[in-house]
Amino acid sequence: NLSASNITVGKAEYRKDLCAAQSGKCVAAYLYSAAGPGESTTDLAWDGHALIYENNELLAESERFSQQEQMILADLDLERLVQDRVRLSSFHDCAGQHAPRVRSLRRVEFDFEAPREPLKLARPLERFPFVPNDDRTRDQRCYEAYNIQVHALVKRLEQSGTRKLVIGVSGGLDSTHALIVAARTMDHLGLPRQNILAYTMPGFATGDRTLANAHALMAALECSAHELDIKPSCRQMLADLEHPFAQGEPVYDVTFENVQAGERTSHLFRLANHHGALVLGTGDLSELALGWCTYGVGDHMSHYNVNASVPKTLIQHLIAWVIRSGQFAESTNHTLQSILDTEISPELVPGGAEDGQPAQSTEARIGPYELQDFNLYYVTRYGFRPSKVAYLSHCAWGEKYPFEDIRKWLRVFLYRFFQISQFKRSCVPNAPKVGSGGSLSPRGDWRAPSDSEATAWLAELDSMDLRGD
C-alpha cells in the first residue's frame, strides 16, 4: 500500500490498527508506506511511516519524521501464511469465489538475487511461542487461560451436580496449578474449599522438599488435606507380580515406576467413588505430546483435566502470574515460588538427591520443556517440516543450546510424538481448550492414527544441510 496519507495526532496508531486488521483478514503480508516529510506543505504534513505486518503481527516499522532515507526489512514466512490459510475455511470460500478475477490480474515480476552468504533471521522470534514476551500481553494471556480453566470446571461441576473434587497433590507444577484452579472454582460456586479432597501420596522416591511443598500448599489453600502412603499397596502389587524389587533387589524399571503411578490414580478414583466426587486431572499438554504419562489407570486418566491443553512453559508462567496478581495470600505465594524453584521430576526412582532437589530429572530423559514446547508449537500449529523447526529453534535458542542438542531433542520429540504416543491421546478425558495453538484432543484439534510412524519426519530432519550457520 503506497499511501499519500498525511499525518495527524493519533493517526499513526490508527494506521497500525488498519494494517494489522487487513493482514489478518487476508491472512497475508501487508506492506505500507506513507509519503515522507519532504511532501509536507503549508496545510498538511507527512511522517514517512512504513510498516510490515504478517497476519496481524508487526514485523518491522520505520522511524517517523526521519530526515534520512530509510528502508525497512523483514523476513516473511510464506509457508506459515499458507498453513494458516489451509486451516481457515472462510479463506477457502472467499478464494473460490474470487479465483477467476485474481487469475486475470496482470502478474508483476521482480528481479531478485538470493544472497550467497548465510543470513541471520531478522523477524522477531519468541523463544516461548505459547507465552508472549510483552509483560502486559503475557499477563492478559495468563488471566484468560486461568479463567477459561476455572469457568470450564465450574460448568462441569454444575452440569454433573457434583460438589466435591478429588485431586492428587505432588508438590510439582501441574498438580499445583490444578489445585489453584480448583480452589478458585469453589470460590466461584460459593462452596467451601474443604470440598476439595486433596491427597499427597508419597512413594519410594518422594523428596522431602516436594512433600513439604504439597502439605504447605494444601494448608495455605484451606482444602481438605490428607497424606496417603502408597508404599504398602505398591509393595503388595510388586509382590503379586513377582517383581525383583519385592525380593529386595534394586530394580527400578518401568514396571516399578508405573506401579506407583497406577496406585495413586487407583486410589483417587476409589476415593472419588467413596465421597461422591470427581477426580481432577493434572497432566499438561507437553506431557501428552511426548507421551510422558502412565496410560489408563495412571496420571493419564481422570474425570476431567483442566491442564490438558496448557503446555508446561505456560503453566510455569501461570503460577508466576498467580503470585504477581495476588490471587491468594502471601503465605500461599511463598509456597508457590518454592514449587517453581524445584526441578521437574516424576520422583519414581529412589536415589541420592542434593539440596532438596529430586534425584530423577524429567528433562534429562525427554529434553528441556522450553525446547520441546517450541517444537510442539511449530509442528502442530503450522505443520512445519522438521528441518525448518530445527532452524527456527536454532535462531531462538542457539545462544543457550548447541545445534546438535537442538536436533537431538527434536528427534526425541518427533519419535515420541508421531510413533509411540498417539494411542494415549486417542483416549483422554474431557478438558477445556485454552490456547490458539490448539489441543491434542481426538475430539477436537488432533485426529491422528495411533499406528503412524515417524520415519518420514526423522528422515527429513537428518537430511538437513549443516554447512555454514
Side-chain angles (χ1 to χ4, degrees):
N1 182 353
L2 304 179
S3 173
S5 174
N6 62 297
I7 186 61
T8 55
V9 173
K11 195 170 185 178
E13 289 303 313
Y14 176 60
R15 265 190 208 133
K16 293 172 72 171
D17 289 342
L18 290 178
C19 293
Q22 187 68 10
S23 67
K25 181 173 68 174
C26 296
V27 194
Y30 194 95
L31 282 64
Y32 175 94
S33 179
E39 302 291 338
S40 298
T41 66
T42 303
D43 298 317
L44 298 174
W46 286 265
D47 59 353
H49 200 190
L51 303 161
I52 301 177
Y53 274 84
E54 179 186 290
N55 198 7
N56 202 43
E57 180 182 357
L58 178 63
L59 299 184
E61 181 177 7
S62 69
E63 177 188 348
R64 296 170 58 213
F65 303 106
S66 173
Q67 296 302 311
Q68 308 298 323
E69 292 184 354
Q70 298 182 78
M71 177 180 289
I72 59 172
L73 301 171
D75 303 308
L76 299 176
D77 195 334
L78 303 183
E79 184 181 4
R80 183 173 179 170
L81 292 173
V82 169
Q83 291 291 341
D84 280 332
R85 289 179 173 188
V86 166
R87 289 164 170 77
L88 192 62
S89 58
S90 58
F91 183 88
H92 284 291
D93 296 340
C94 185
Q97 182 178 355
H98 294 283
R101 177 174 175 271
V102 172
R103 292 194 186 102
S104 69
L105 297 177
R106 181 172 61 90
R107 181 175 179 177
V108 179
E109 296 185 357
F110 298 91
D111 291 329
F112 177 76
E113 183 177 350
R116 299 179 181 275
E117 299 298 323
L119 294 176
K120 291 185 177 180
L121 201 63
R123 63 185 286 121
L125 184 63
E126 296 186 357
R127 283 184 163 185
F128 299 96
F130 291 105
V131 185
N133 280 332
D134 176 70
D135 290 345
R136 182 176 178 181
T137 305
R138 182 171 59 248
D139 284 351
Q140 180 64 23
R141 186 76 56 84
C142 289
Y143 166 82
E144 291 173 346
Y146 178 66
N147 279 281
I148 288 171
Q149 292 177 280
V150 169
H151 286 277
L153 185 55
V154 166
K155 177 61 178 178
R156 176 49 57 97
L157 291 177
E158 288 179 335
Q159 185 277 334
S160 64
T162 307
R163 298 169 63 86
K164 294 181 179 180
L165 293 170
V166 168
I167 181 173
V169 182
S170 67
L173 292 170
D174 295 340
S175 64
T176 292
H177 184 61
L179 184 57
I180 290 170
V181 169
R184 187 57 77 216
T185 297
M186 291 300 170
D187 296 345
H188 273 271
L189 290 170
L191 297 173
R193 292 184 187 171
Q194 290 290 312
N195 283 21
I196 304 171
L197 311 179
Y199 292 83
T200 186
M201 295 178 281
F204 297 116
T206 300
D208 294 338
R209 177 170 179 165
T210 52
L211 184 60
N213 281 338
H215 277 291
L217 183 64
M218 292 187 294
L221 293 176
E222 301 178 338
C223 55
S224 297
H226 308 270
E227 180 174 324
L228 199 163
D229 187 356
I230 63 165
K231 291 191 289 293
S233 57
C234 287
R235 287 194 179 96
Q236 181 62 54
M237 173 71 77
L238 290 165
D240 293 342
L241 296 174
E242 299 181 355
H243 190 275
F245 180 82
Q247 311 303 320
E249 298 181 35
V251 176
Y252 308 129
D253 56 9
V254 68
T255 302
F256 176 83
E257 295 187 38
N258 284 347
V259 161
Q260 296 173 78
E263 282 298 314
R264 288 188 173 112
T265 303
S266 180
H267 275 87
L268 292 176
F269 272 103
R270 302 297 73 82
L271 286 164
N273 294 153
H274 186 56
H275 294 285
L278 292 181
V279 176
L280 188 63
T282 61
D284 62 49
L285 180 68
S286 307
E287 293 175 342
L288 271 178
L290 291 159
W292 193 248
C293 53
T294 301
Y295 184 74
V297 185
D299 53 330
H300 167 260
M301 193 48 62
S302 63
H303 287 127
Y304 194 73
N305 186 358
V306 291
N307 289 340
S309 67
V310 185
K312 185 78 74 177
T313 48
L314 181 55
I315 283 183
Q316 292 171 316
H317 282 278
L318 280 167
I319 295 174
W321 173 81
V322 166
I323 295 173
R324 289 196 309 274
S325 59
Q327 301 290 314
F328 298 99
E330 189 57 37
S331 59
T332 306
N333 291 343
H334 177 76
T335 303
L336 293 177
Q337 189 59 56
S338 177
I339 292 169
L340 281 175
D341 294 338
T342 303
E343 184 177 357
I344 301 169
S345 169
E347 292 194 322
L348 295 172
V349 174
E354 299 178 359
D355 302 326
Q357 296 286 358
Q360 191 180 15
S361 171
T362 297
E363 293 180 299
R365 287 278 303 277
I366 59 175
Y369 276 114
E370 56 193 14
L371 282 183
Q372 299 298 34
D373 280 0
F374 188 96
N375 297 333
L376 170 64
Y377 181 83
Y378 284 105
V379 168
T380 59
R381 178 67 177 83
Y382 293 105
F384 285 165
R385 60 196 183 278
S387 58
K388 180 169 181 175
V389 176
Y391 169 70
L392 293 175
S393 184
H394 175 60
C395 292
W397 288 104
E399 294 180 3
K400 183 173 182 180
Y401 297 101
F403 182 75
E404 281 307 314
D405 285 352
I406 289 173
R407 189 162 70 161
K408 167 190 170 182
W409 293 122
L410 177 55
R411 188 178 183 83
V412 168
F413 176 86
L414 294 171
Y415 178 72
R416 296 187 67 94
F417 183 81
F418 285 106
Q419 188 142 337
I420 67 172
S421 302
Q422 180 57 38
F423 79 98
K424 296 181 180 180
R425 296 190 291 268
S426 295
C427 177
V428 292
N430 290 167
K433 178 179 175 179
V434 173
S436 60
S439 71
L440 294 177
S441 168
R443 300 170 295 274
D445 293 339
W446 193 258
R447 293 178 288 277
S450 296
D451 301 319
S452 62
E453 297 185 6
T455 306
W457 294 83
L458 296 174
E460 203 280 339
L461 178 64
D462 291 339
S463 70
M464 284 191 71
D465 184 357
L466 301 181
R467 293 173 297 176
D469 294 336

